[in-house]
Amino acid sequence: MKILVVDDEQDVKVLFQQRFRKEIKKEELDFVFAFSGEEALKKMASMEQEAVLILSDINMPGMSGLELLKKIKENYVAPPPVVMMVTAYGDEENRSTAKELGADDFLTKPLDFNELKSKLKDIV
Amino acid sequence: MILEPLVLLFIVWHIRKNLRLLSPNTLWDKYLLWAMIGITILFIVEKTLPITMVTNWIWHVLILGVGYLIFRLPVLERMRTTLIAVLPLIIINIIEDLVEIIYLPLYETIENYLDFAFVFALTWMIAMLIRSNKQNKALKTERKKTLAEEERNKFISAQKEKLEVIVAERTAEITKQKDELMHAFTELKNTQSRLIQSEKMASLGELTAGIAHEIQNPLNFVNNFSEVNKELLSEMEEEIENGNLEEVKALAKDIIGNEDKIMLHGKRADNIVKGMLQHSRSSTGKKELTDINALADEYLRLAYHGLRAKDKSFNATLITDFDAALKTVTLVPQDMGRVILNLLTNAFYAVQKKTTEQIEGFEPTVGISTKKNKNTVLITVTDNGNGMPKAVKEKIFQPFFSTKPTGEGTGLGLSMSYDIIKAHGGEIEVTSEESTGTTFIIQLPDAIPNH
Ligand SMILES: Nc1ncnc2c1ncn2[C@@H]1O[C@H](COP(=O)(O)OP(=O)(O)OP(=O)(O)O)[C@@H](O)[C@H]1O
Ligand SMILES: [Mg+2]
């Protein structure tokens, strides 16, 4: 299963690769990274057929996570990819907006990787 | 002889006239009048009674006495010409009378000579009188002139006095006004420094949300990478037990890499806290070697996230272009940081405002770039907001000029920025196109480049 991680912080990539090195080694999970909403849309276009889970930050310059979410839910009708939004601690406003836009799940920053792992296992 | 009484009368009359001019109504005026009357009576008596022998000598003595006075007293100086004119006649007269008394036969012998002398003396008198008359006339006009001049001088000095009073009044007024202005000025200065301090605090408030966001991210990384390393270390222990050296080496490499990340993000948080403290503190005014690129990047993030925290729906594309050739520049970091923050806050405000107009296809964009030239450093802040008309552009560096609604702008941002840049020996320039965008360019001297 492919997981597209969208975050403007470059080191998120290294962190995920370290945190999921066992899963990556065993090829249970396949991570793809994008550093902006725009880049995420491009990456998605190039891997259309594959089952995709998107994990996106909200607070990004340029296209925000919410806009990305809106675009994804509008453009990918069948079957729409699962989108998990990462929100800052206590940011209820963004959380409810994301829910309205069709976000499937939420994670709060700072990321609890154990929680994320169990959630991924459920989906896979 | 009729000459002597006439001359006497004339002289006395003259003296009286002059005296009147000098000081009217003195006793002398009366005495001289009596003298004139006396002379006239004596003259009439002389003509009716045969006492010429006696009166002649009275005239002689009187005239010689008056003549003596005229030559001795400077007051009577003006009578001298008259006296000189008649003197030959009088002397001849006296000689005649003397000879007549002393030795009559001699008189008959010299009578012809005396007649001749008499004619000469008469001619002399007439000539002298004409001359003196002319002189008198000239003197009179001269006197008139001096009188007029005196009058004028009097008038002028009176005017001058009046003027001096007015000037003194005005000077007092102006001095008072000056004092009042000085007072108002110091008061304004105090208010200004208080305002600057509160503006600083206000911008700090704007920043706090950005700061929270900016500290949260690196702290998350520090925590996450530490956790990863802990996992990696326990794995490493296992591999050591198993004697799998290759695997141990690979793990060690990862751990070291993660430690670098931890340090990097720790430093990032540290810098932000430091920057925040620096921002709120009054400027030390001390120039330091500063990494302009890092400073600009830091404030870009703070300004952006600060605004985002206030307005969740707002978003903008950030374009950075930092010249890698630019390492450090000597400047006061707090001050220049505030300049950059002011420009960025203005730029974000401009694009945010344009966003509310819901123009099709508008992508709010703010850019900051640095460039190293030969002797200068350029910092450019651009936005694609609505720009400003010429009338606004001309005033933006004036203190308290703001087009923002009250409460949203004090109008001190750019004027303070201007002062700071001037204090660094730099320039700030603005180009703005209505409905297209605005660009501010700061040019700083690169005194101690690339240390
Ligand atoms: N990037 C920009 N685009 C359009 N107008 C601008 C821009 N920057 C400044 N201005 C104009 O210049 C004025 C003065 O700016 P300045 O930063 O001095 O004060 P302010 O932003 O109004 O208030 P403050 O900065 O004190 O909160 C602004 O009110 C605005 O009209
Ligand atoms: Mg401003």
Side-chain angles (χ1 to χ4, degrees), chain A:
Chain A
M1 169 165 198
K2 270 208 170 147
I3 299 166
L4 175 60
V5 180
V6 190
D7 200 313
D8 61 318
E9 294 271 4
Q10 303 273 336
D11 278 346
V12 164
K13 182 177 177 180
V14 187
L15 184 65
F16 270 74
Q17 285 171 339
Q18 299 259 352
R19 275 287 183 172
F20 291 99
R21 69 195 177 287
K22 279 184 195 152
E23 291 81 355
I24 292 169
K25 233 187 225 166
K26 289 184 222 153
E27 292 185 11
E28 291 169 9
L29 296 171
D30 182 6
F31 285 95
V32 178
F33 298 90
F35 301 109
S36 70
E38 292 86 346
E39 197 186 343
L41 286 178
K42 268 187 221 148
K43 290 241 157 116
M44 283 182 71
S46 65
M47 49 191 193
E48 215 156 348
Q49 307 305 325
E50 294 161 85
V52 171
L53 183 140
I54 294 155
L55 198 69
S56 174
D57 189 15
I58 286 182
N59 202 347
M60 291 182 293
M63 185 187 289
S64 75
L66 293 176
E67 278 174 76
L68 176 67
L69 171 66
K70 200 172 153 203
K71 287 226 160 88
I72 291 169
K73 292 289 174 186
E74 275 170 9
N75 298 345
Y76 293 78
V77 210
V82 178
V83 182
M84 273 192 203
M85 298 306 292
V86 182
T87 60
Y89 177 78
D91 188 357
E92 285 310 316
E93 199 183 323
N94 273 329
R95 191 176 265 247
S96 61
T97 316
K99 203 159 221 161
E100 277 165 33
L101 289 173
D104 298 284
D105 206 349
F106 294 95
L107 290 166
T108 39
K109 273 189 180 178
L111 277 186
D112 180 343
F113 279 86
N114 292 328
E115 184 194 354
L116 177 59
K117 269 184 195 175
S118 66
K119 279 191 177 180
L120 288 179
K121 270 192 188 118
D122 288 348
I123 294 168
V124 174

Side-chain angles (χ1 to χ4, degrees), chain B residues 199 346 350 383 387-388 396 401-404 409-414 438:
Chain B
E199 151 105 11
N346 286 347
D383 66 71
M388 45 193 143
I396 53 173
F401 176 79
S402 177
T403 57
K404 296 169 187 174
T410 53
L412 278 175
L414 284 178
T438 305

